[in-house]
mmCIF file of all heavy atoms in Angstrom:
data_model
loop_
_atom_site.group_PDB
_atom_site.id
_atom_site.type_symbol
_atom_site.label_atom_id
_atom_site.label_comp_id
_atom_site.label_asym_id
_atom_site.label_seq_id
_atom_site.Cartn_x
_atom_site.Cartn_y
_atom_site.Cartn_z
ATOM 1 N N ASP H 12 115.164 130.468 107.180
ATOM 2 C CA ASP H 12 116.257 129.481 107.351
ATOM 3 C C ASP H 12 115.814 128.377 108.305
ATOM 4 O O ASP H 12 115.095 128.590 109.294
ATOM 5 C CB ASP H 12 117.489 130.167 107.912
ATOM 6 C CG ASP H 12 118.098 131.136 106.942
ATOM 7 O OD1 ASP H 12 117.878 130.981 105.657
ATOM 8 O OD2 ASP H 12 118.800 132.085 107.373
ATOM 9 N N LEU H 13 116.291 127.174 108.037
ATOM 10 C CA LEU H 13 116.018 126.008 108.858
ATOM 11 C C LEU H 13 117.029 125.981 109.990
ATOM 12 O O LEU H 13 118.252 125.994 109.779
ATOM 13 C CB LEU H 13 116.138 124.713 108.072
ATOM 14 C CG LEU H 13 114.936 124.297 107.252
ATOM 15 C CD1 LEU H 13 115.269 123.075 106.408
ATOM 16 C CD2 LEU H 13 113.716 124.026 108.128
ATOM 17 N N ILE H 14 116.554 125.991 111.204
ATOM 18 C CA ILE H 14 117.379 125.867 112.418
ATOM 19 C C ILE H 14 116.810 124.831 113.317
ATOM 20 O O ILE H 14 115.614 124.817 113.530
ATOM 21 C CB ILE H 14 117.531 127.253 113.113
ATOM 22 C CG1 ILE H 14 118.043 128.336 112.197
ATOM 23 C CG2 ILE H 14 118.333 127.188 114.386
ATOM 24 C CD1 ILE H 14 117.977 129.757 112.693
ATOM 25 N N ASP H 15 117.652 123.969 113.819
ATOM 26 C CA ASP H 15 117.182 122.903 114.702
ATOM 27 C C ASP H 15 116.000 122.110 114.111
ATOM 28 O O ASP H 15 114.888 122.090 114.667
ATOM 29 C CB ASP H 15 116.816 123.477 116.114
ATOM 30 C CG ASP H 15 116.614 122.444 117.151
ATOM 31 O OD1 ASP H 15 117.250 121.378 117.031
ATOM 32 O OD2 ASP H 15 115.829 122.688 118.070
ATOM 33 N N THR H 16 116.236 121.522 113.023
ATOM 34 C CA THR H 16 115.204 120.787 112.230
ATOM 35 C C THR H 16 114.744 119.517 112.932
ATOM 36 O O THR H 16 115.543 118.845 113.569
ATOM 37 C CB THR H 16 115.667 120.527 110.809
ATOM 38 O OG1 THR H 16 116.745 119.655 110.823
ATOM 39 C CG2 THR H 16 115.974 121.819 110.071
ATOM 40 N N LYS H 17 113.479 119.165 112.698
ATOM 41 C CA LYS H 17 112.911 117.963 113.294
ATOM 42 C C LYS H 17 112.867 116.789 112.312
ATOM 43 O O LYS H 17 113.205 115.671 112.621
ATOM 44 C CB LYS H 17 111.507 118.253 113.803
ATOM 45 C CG LYS H 17 110.839 117.118 114.444
ATOM 46 C CD LYS H 17 109.467 117.495 115.042
ATOM 47 C CE LYS H 17 108.798 116.314 115.656
ATOM 48 N NZ LYS H 17 107.485 116.638 116.233
ATOM 49 N N PHE H 18 112.459 117.034 111.049
ATOM 50 C CA PHE H 18 112.237 115.991 110.096
ATOM 51 C C PHE H 18 113.285 115.870 109.010
ATOM 52 O O PHE H 18 113.510 114.802 108.404
ATOM 53 C CB PHE H 18 110.872 116.098 109.468
ATOM 54 C CG PHE H 18 109.720 115.926 110.417
ATOM 55 C CD1 PHE H 18 108.989 116.969 110.921
ATOM 56 C CD2 PHE H 18 109.512 114.609 110.969
ATOM 57 C CE1 PHE H 18 107.973 116.769 111.804
ATOM 58 C CE2 PHE H 18 108.469 114.427 111.870
ATOM 59 C CZ PHE H 18 107.749 115.498 112.334
ATOM 60 N N VAL H 19 113.920 116.989 108.606
ATOM 61 C CA VAL H 19 114.900 116.968 107.528
ATOM 62 C C VAL H 19 116.150 117.718 107.986
ATOM 63 O O VAL H 19 116.051 118.637 108.764
ATOM 64 C CB VAL H 19 114.354 117.596 106.207
ATOM 65 C CG1 VAL H 19 113.210 116.728 105.650
ATOM 66 C CG2 VAL H 19 114.004 119.010 106.375
ATOM 67 N N HIS H 20 117.292 117.282 107.431
ATOM 68 C CA HIS H 20 118.563 117.869 107.832
ATOM 69 C C HIS H 20 119.350 118.183 106.565
ATOM 70 O O HIS H 20 119.907 117.260 105.974
ATOM 71 C CB HIS H 20 119.287 116.957 108.791
ATOM 72 C CG HIS H 20 118.440 116.590 109.971
ATOM 73 N ND1 HIS H 20 118.209 117.376 111.035
ATOM 74 C CD2 HIS H 20 117.773 115.402 110.218
ATOM 75 C CE1 HIS H 20 117.419 116.788 111.912
ATOM 76 N NE2 HIS H 20 117.159 115.609 111.441
ATOM 77 N N PRO H 21 119.492 119.471 106.178
ATOM 78 C CA PRO H 21 120.272 119.835 105.031
ATOM 79 C C PRO H 21 121.722 119.511 105.267
ATOM 80 O O PRO H 21 122.271 119.739 106.377
ATOM 81 C CB PRO H 21 120.059 121.278 104.806
ATOM 82 C CG PRO H 21 119.165 121.775 105.920
ATOM 83 C CD PRO H 21 118.862 120.598 106.774
ATOM 84 N N VAL H 22 122.406 118.941 104.254
ATOM 85 C CA VAL H 22 123.846 118.623 104.376
ATOM 86 C C VAL H 22 124.515 118.957 103.068
ATOM 87 O O VAL H 22 123.905 118.979 101.997
ATOM 88 C CB VAL H 22 124.067 117.154 104.729
ATOM 89 C CG1 VAL H 22 123.564 116.746 106.062
ATOM 90 C CG2 VAL H 22 123.488 116.222 103.661
ATOM 91 N N LYS H 23 125.796 119.229 103.153
ATOM 92 C CA LYS H 23 126.631 119.435 101.969
ATOM 93 C C LYS H 23 127.533 118.157 101.885
ATOM 94 O O LYS H 23 128.122 117.780 102.845
ATOM 95 C CB LYS H 23 127.526 120.666 102.075
ATOM 96 C CG LYS H 23 128.447 120.876 100.896
ATOM 97 C CD LYS H 23 129.294 122.096 101.074
ATOM 98 C CE LYS H 23 130.199 122.231 99.846
ATOM 99 N NZ LYS H 23 131.102 123.419 100.035
ATOM 100 N N ILE H 24 127.502 117.570 100.726
ATOM 101 C CA ILE H 24 128.251 116.371 100.467
ATOM 102 C C ILE H 24 129.407 116.735 99.546
ATOM 103 O O ILE H 24 129.254 117.377 98.529
ATOM 104 C CB ILE H 24 127.404 115.274 99.756
ATOM 105 C CG1 ILE H 24 126.200 114.966 100.610
ATOM 106 C CG2 ILE H 24 128.221 114.038 99.444
ATOM 107 C CD1 ILE H 24 125.118 114.113 99.883
ATOM 108 N N SER H 25 130.654 116.320 99.987
ATOM 109 C CA SER H 25 131.838 116.526 99.119
ATOM 110 C C SER H 25 132.412 115.161 98.852
ATOM 111 O O SER H 25 132.521 114.290 99.717
ATOM 112 C CB SER H 25 132.841 117.411 99.911
ATOM 113 O OG SER H 25 132.298 118.639 100.220
ATOM 114 N N TYR H 26 132.841 114.970 97.624
ATOM 115 C CA TYR H 26 133.489 113.718 97.267
ATOM 116 C C TYR H 26 134.301 113.847 95.972
ATOM 117 O O TYR H 26 134.231 114.900 95.337
ATOM 118 C CB TYR H 26 132.440 112.577 97.092
ATOM 119 C CG TYR H 26 131.421 112.888 96.002
ATOM 120 C CD1 TYR H 26 131.556 112.301 94.773
ATOM 121 C CD2 TYR H 26 130.356 113.721 96.241
ATOM 122 C CE1 TYR H 26 130.629 112.563 93.748
ATOM 123 C CE2 TYR H 26 129.424 113.968 95.270
ATOM 124 C CZ TYR H 26 129.522 113.369 94.029
ATOM 125 O OH TYR H 26 128.609 113.601 92.978
#
Side-chain angles (χ1 to χ4, degrees):
D12 292 335
L13 280 174
I14 300 170
D15 192 29
T16 61
K17 182 177 179 181
F18 294 107
V19 296
H20 306 283
V22 296
K23 179 180 179 182
I24 302 168
S25 301
Y26 61 100

